Amino acid sequence: MEEGTGDSENLRAGIVAGNSSECGQQPAVEKCETIHVAIVCAGYNASRDVVTLVKSVLFHRRNPLHFHLIADSIAEQILATLFQTWMVPAVRVDFYNADELKSEVSWIPNKHYSGIYGLMKLVLTKTLPANLERVIVLDTDITFATDIAELWAVFHKFKGQQVLGLVENQSDWYLGNLWKNHRPWPALGRGYNTGVILLLLDKLRKMKWEQMWRLTAERELMGMLSTSLADQDIFNAVIKQNPFLVYQLPCFWNVQLSDHTRSEQCYRDVSDLKVIHWNSPKKLRVKNKHVEFFRNLYLTFLEYDGNLLRRELFGCPSETDVNSENLQKQLSELDEDDLCYEFRRERFTVHRTHLYFLHYEFEPATDNTDVTLVAQLSMDRLQMLEAICKHWEGPISLALYLSDAEAQQFLRYAQGSEVLMSRHNVGYHIVYKEGQFYPVNLLRNVAMKHISTPYMFLSDIDFLPMYGLYEYLRKSVIQLDLANTKKAMIVPAFETLRYRLSFPKSKAELLSMLDMGTLFTFRYHVWTKGHAPTNFAKWRTATMPYRVEWEADFEPYVVVRRDCSEYDRRFVGFGWNKVAHIMELDAQEYEFTVLPNAYMIHMPHAPSFDITKFRSNKQYRICLKTLKEEFQQDMSRRYGFAALKYLTAENNS
C-alpha cells in the first residue's frame, strides 16, 4: 500500500510520526520554526468560533505561530482588538480584506450556508504573500486535540506533484446516494473534505492553480448550476481531473461530525484523534458514538481561561512588541513595596477584549441627534438587561466583565431571551477578568469607544431610564445645541428601595411617588453630595433646562458628545470613578445643564463585592484617598489655574 493512501497505514504512520529513522532523517519541524495558519472568517458568529479554534491550537503548541486571517471588516475589527489585547508571545496575526476578494469568486453561484466567504480558500495562492511557501488552512469550526506542529510536519511527506493535503470525506455526499435525485459535484470516490487543508503554495502557483480551478468551475457549472458545498465542490472537481495533486491525510486530522458522517469507521479509539471538525450547522447536536467526548473537548476550549495561554515559548525569541515593551517599562517603574501597588498596577493591566460578542446592526439617524446608552456590568447584573431594553429603544453599548466560562453563560442567556434577540442595536463587548479589582473605568471606556452615534448617555446598568427618554434626549440635543457647545446634559437620578415598582409614566407621577416616600432622590440616605448640585427642589417645578455649578463629589449621569474625555483608569472597584470624570469635564469648561423632564431610577440590588471591600478594608480607603489626591494634583498640572479649586474644595469623601 502506497504511503498516504490507506487509513490503517496512515494511523500507524501518524502514531510514530516524528521518530527519526536510521537514515539520519531531519527533524520534521525545527524547534522555533514558525507555523503558518490561514483561516477565512467573516461576521460576528465566525469571530466567536475562531477564538475556540485558536485556544485549542495555542494550548498544545510549542512553536511560534503566524495566523493569516482572511476577514471581512467586522471580523477584522473584532479579532484585531482581541489579539492586540490577548498579547500572546510568539504569535503574529495578519489580515487580508475578504471584501476585496469577493469579485474573484462572486461569479460562482453557491447554496452553502457559509455564503460567498465559503469560496475564498480557492484564491489563497493569490491572496497570501508571494514568499509564503506553505500554509495550513482551517475552517473556523475546528478543535485541535494535539500540537499543530505534527500536522505541519506532514508537508515533508509530500512527493512528486502532491500539493494538497486533505482528509477523505466521511459522509456519503459525493457518492450521490443520500436521497432521490441527489446530484453531487464530481469527486474521486468519497471525495475530500476541505475543513483542513495543507497547501504547498509555491508549487500551486507554478502549476497555475488559479487557471486550473477557474476552468474546472466554469465547465462544471454549465451542468451543476451552483455549488452545494462551496469551495469543497470545486477542489474535488479539480482533484477528479488531477488525482496526483493530493496527499491523503489520515482521517484523524479531520474527524467530521456532519449529519451523514461515517467518521467512527475511520478510527479505533478517541485517543487517536487529533482534529475534530463540527461541520454541521447543528454543531453540538450531531449523532456519534463518541459525541460526549467530542462535546467535552470542544466545551473545554470554549470555556478555557484564555489568559493562561499567554505563556512564553522558552528558547524561542518573540518579535519585539512595542506595546508590550512600553507596558513592561511602566510596570518596572512602580514600587512593589508601595502599599497601593496593586491599585497602581491595575491601571496598566491589559484585559483581553472581545468586541461585538453578538450580532450588531445599527445605522445612526441622518439628523445627527442619535444617542447611545453606555453602561458596564458583570454577571450579577445580567438580569437588568431585558428591563433596560424595554425602557430604552435606542442603541446601547455595554462592556461586560466576565470570565471565559461566564461569557458562554451570557451567550446562552442572551440567545434564550426573546427581548435581547429581537434587539440588534445593542453592542456587547466582553472584557475578560484579570486581577483582583473590578476595572470599572476601563469598562466604561471600552463601551464609550465603540459607539457610532454623535452623543452618548453615560449611565449605569442598575438604572432604568424613563420611558421615552431616548426621543426626549434627541430633541434636547437640538434644543441645547450640543453640536456646537460644550454642554453635559444631566438626567436627574432617583431611587427606590422596593424590588417591585410601578414605574412612573410621567414627571407628575414621579413627584407624587417622591411625596409618598416610594421614591427618593438618589443616594439621599448615604451620599447626598453626589447628586445634591442637581438641585432637585428647582427640578420639581422647572419647565426649562437650567444650569448648575460643579461642587465637590458631584457625580451626575450625563449626556455628552462622543469626543468627551475617557474615564481615569486609576480608579477601580468602588469610589471616585465617576466623580473624577465629572471633575475633568468641569475643568474642560463643560456647562452642566439639568433636563427638566428627564429622569432615571436606580433599582435595588445586593451590594457589590467592591463596596463591601471599601467598607471593610481600611487600606482600600487609604489608597483611594491617595489616588484621589494624586488625581487632583494631575488636574492642576493639566488645567492650570482653573483646576486649583479642586485642591481647595472641601472634600470629605
Side-chain angles (χ1 to χ4, degrees):
M1 192 181 286
E2 191 179 311
E3 187 183 11
T5 57
D7 280 331
S8 58
E9 183 67 21
N10 276 318
L11 192 62
R12 286 196 293 278
I15 290 164
V16 297
N19 293 344
S20 56
S21 70
E22 291 174 11
C23 303
Q25 192 181 355
Q26 287 185 325
V29 182
E30 298 290 338
K31 184 179 188 312
C32 293
E33 183 178 344
T34 299
I35 293 168
H36 293 267
V37 181
I39 304 166
V40 178
C41 182
Y44 301 95
N45 293 344
S47 302
R48 277 202 315 273
D49 292 339
V50 88
V51 177
T52 310
L53 159 60
V54 168
K55 280 185 186 176
S56 71
V57 172
L58 291 174
F59 181 82
H60 298 286
R61 65 105 181 214
R62 292 192 295 275
N63 284 71
L65 294 167
H66 188 159
F67 289 103
H68 302 266
L69 301 177
I70 298 85
D72 66 347
S73 56
I74 292 165
E76 179 169 353
Q77 183 190 10
I78 294 169
L79 295 172
T81 301
L82 181 75
F83 278 106
Q84 280 162 17
T85 53
W86 204 339
M87 297 178 76
V88 184
V91 168
R92 183 176 161 189
V93 183
D94 281 322
F95 289 91
Y96 307 83
N97 190 332
D99 295 326
E100 287 178 7
L101 300 174
K102 280 182 177 176
S103 59
E104 302 276 342
V105 291
S106 58
W107 57 274
I108 304 168
N110 174 32
K111 289 180 184 171
H112 194 252
Y113 62 83
S114 60
I116 193 168
Y117 300 101
L119 294 160
M120 288 186 178
K121 285 185 245 173
L122 293 164
V123 294
L124 290 179
T125 49
K126 205 171 174 181
T127 309
L128 297 175
N131 62 350
L132 184 60
E133 293 181 2
R134 58 190 63 184
V135 69
I136 296 172
V137 188
L138 301 172
D139 278 357
T140 57
D141 51 4
I142 294 277
T143 308
F144 268 76
T146 194
D147 189 345
I148 197 170
E150 290 180 42
L151 182 55
W152 187 253
V154 178
F155 274 117
H156 292 277
K157 296 183 178 182
F158 283 32
K159 291 174 184 168
Q161 291 181 289
Q162 290 174 337
V163 287
L164 302 168
L166 291 160
V167 170
E168 186 180 56
N169 205 44
Q170 288 155 20
S171 83
D172 291 343
W173 180 272
Y174 287 110
L175 299 180
N177 57 7
L178 291 180
W179 58 80
K180 198 180 174 187
N181 301 327
H182 172 219
R183 250 186 91 222
W185 275 54
L188 204 60
R190 307 187 66 79
Y192 293 93
N193 183 279
T194 55
V196 176
I197 318 175
L198 298 189
L199 282 187
L200 267 184
L201 294 167
D202 51 347
K203 278 194 172 184
L204 273 165
R205 291 181 186 116
K206 284 173 190 163
M207 286 179 174
K208 298 196 166 44
W209 166 253
E210 194 73 20
Q211 204 177 339
M212 196 186 285
W213 75 259
R214 280 175 185 273
L215 288 171
T216 303
E218 285 167 8
R219 185 181 65 243
E220 295 301 334
L221 282 167
M222 286 159 71
M224 295 302 298
L225 304 180
S226 72
T227 62
S228 293
L229 301 182
D231 67 89
Q232 187 168 297
D233 285 339
I234 297 171
F235 270 103
N236 274 292
V238 172
I239 291 163
K240 178 84 188 262
Q241 296 292 313
N242 310 279
F244 56 85
L245 295 177
V246 181
Y247 173 88
Q248 185 171 322
L249 295 168
C251 81
F252 49 63
W253 283 118
N254 182 356
V255 175
Q256 301 143 40
L257 300 176
S258 59
D259 292 341
H260 310 290
T261 189
R262 293 167 68 257
S263 56
E264 59 253 52
Q265 294 180 22
C266 88
Y267 60 87
R268 285 193 291 262
D269 189 68
V270 289
S271 61
D272 300 332
L273 304 180
K274 296 182 185 292
V275 172
I276 314 300
H277 184 188
W278 301 91
N279 59 329
S280 159
K282 293 193 302 199
K283 303 301 177 206
L284 294 180
R285 299 196 302 278
V286 293
K287 293 181 176 68
N288 182 289
K289 66 182 177 185
H290 293 127
V291 76
E292 213 47 48
F293 170 82
F294 297 140
R295 189 182 285 116
N296 289 340
L297 178 75
Y298 173 75
L299 292 175
T300 296
F301 291 115
L302 194 67
E303 301 189 351
Y304 189 82
D305 182 354
N307 297 335
L308 301 176
L309 298 166
R310 283 172 165 164
R311 59 179 184 267
E312 291 282 348
L313 285 186
F314 293 108
C316 295
S318 285
E319 283 186 34
T320 305
D321 179 358
V322 178
N323 292 335
S324 184
E325 280 192 345
N326 288 342
L327 186 66
Q328 292 306 320
K329 184 173 181 292
Q330 288 166 329
L331 287 172
S332 67
E333 289 169 1
L334 296 179
D335 178 6
E336 290 190 33
D337 296 327
D338 180 353
L339 291 172
C340 300
Y341 171 76
E342 290 299 334
F343 280 86
R344 299 187 195 285
R345 181 189 166 86
E346 179 57 44
R347 187 178 185 177
F348 303 111
T349 300
V350 178
H351 289 265
R352 194 166 34 106
T353 303
H354 188 133
L355 304 176
Y356 301 105
F357 199 67
L358 291 174
H359 183 80
Y360 179 76
E361 213 173 294
F362 175 71
E363 281 295 323
T366 52
D367 63 0
N368 287 326
T369 63
D370 238 319
V371 184
T372 301
L373 187 150
V374 169
Q376 43 70 39
L377 68 151
S378 52
M379 204 66 184
D380 58 340
R381 300 283 185 266
L382 214 52
Q383 74 282 358
M384 290 297 298
L385 291 182
E386 288 188 347
I388 283 178
C389 285
K390 288 174 183 173
H391 279 248
W392 176 273
E393 66 272 26
I396 302 174
S397 182
L398 298 172
L400 297 92
Y401 193 54
L402 306 172
S403 66
D404 292 75
E406 285 173 341
Q408 295 310 313
Q409 289 171 37
F410 159 69
L411 183 61
R412 289 191 289 274
Y413 172 82
Q415 289 176 337
S417 163
E418 280 184 36
V419 174
L420 301 188
M421 282 296 97
S422 66
R423 290 285 295 268
H424 299 298
N425 63 349
V426 182
Y428 299 97
H429 312 299
I430 309 285
V431 175
Y432 286 101
K433 285 184 173 178
E434 188 168 358
Q436 57 175 305
F437 294 104
Y438 185 79
V440 59
N441 280 355
L442 166 70
L443 296 171
R444 288 188 173 118
N445 292 342
V446 168
M448 281 167 62
K449 192 176 175 185
H450 297 99
I451 66 167
S452 55
T453 59
Y455 305 99
M456 50 191 180
F457 171 30
L458 304 177
S459 185
D460 269 338
I461 201 68
D462 41 14
F463 276 89
L464 288 181
M466 72 176 203
Y467 292 111
L469 182 61
Y470 171 58
E471 287 302 333
Y472 176 66
L473 292 181
R474 289 179 63 180
K475 287 173 186 157
S476 302
V477 158
I478 298 169
Q479 185 189 357
L480 292 168
D481 193 22
L482 242 65
N484 303 304
T485 56
K486 259 189 168 177
K487 284 195 180 82
M489 302 193 304
I490 293 172
V491 177
F494 299 87
E495 70 177 330
T496 178
L497 304 179
R498 300 181 178 188
Y499 280 87
R500 297 179 76 85
L501 174 78
S502 176
F503 200 91
K505 304 280 193 301
S506 64
K507 178 176 178 178
E509 201 177 319
L510 180 136
L511 291 174
S512 166
M513 292 169 80
L514 272 176
D515 293 338
M516 288 192 302
T518 52
L519 281 183
F520 305 92
T521 55
F522 186 53
R523 289 287 180 262
Y524 170 75
H525 303 87
V526 290
W527 184 245
T528 315
K529 297 165 77 172
H531 293 264
T534 300
N535 193 343
F536 290 101
K538 183 169 184 175
W539 183 82
R540 292 181 73 102
T541 56
T543 55
M544 296 293 289
Y546 59 91
R547 186 174 173 180
V548 295
E549 295 299 323
W550 175 88
E551 291 177 28
D553 297 319
F554 194 25
E555 51 175 7
Y557 292 96
V558 295
V559 178
V560 286
R561 288 203 306 255
R562 67 175 296 173
D563 61 1
C564 115
S565 301
E566 289 193 334
Y567 285 81
D568 194 294
R569 274 196 65 186
R570 83 186 81 196
F571 298 107
V572 291
F574 176 80
W576 249 69
N577 44 70
K578 288 194 298 288
V579 171
H581 189 244
I582 293 296
M583 184 184 282
E584 185 149 13
L585 294 186
D586 182 64
Q588 292 169 353
E589 299 179 335
Y590 272 75
E591 277 183 28
F592 295 106
T593 304
V594 181
L595 298 173
N597 293 309
Y599 55 88
M600 58 199 296
I601 299 177
H602 180 264
M603 305 308 286
H605 55 74
S608 68
F609 177 65
D610 291 283
I611 197 168
T612 309
K613 207 154 52 169
F614 171 81
R615 287 170 180 164
S616 62
N617 186 331
K618 187 183 177 186
Q619 188 57 45
Y620 193 113
R621 295 194 296 277
I622 290 169
C623 286
L624 183 59
K625 189 169 185 292
T626 304
L627 294 174
K628 184 175 76 175
E629 288 165 358
E630 289 172 5
F631 172 77
Q632 289 171 319
Q633 287 160 7
D634 285 351
M635 291 282 287
S636 60
R637 278 194 291 271
R638 211 177 308 153
Y639 298 105
F641 183 75
L644 283 177
K645 64 178 176 181
Y646 307 124
L647 289 169
T648 54
E650 186 186 346
N651 199 333
N652 300 319
S653 62

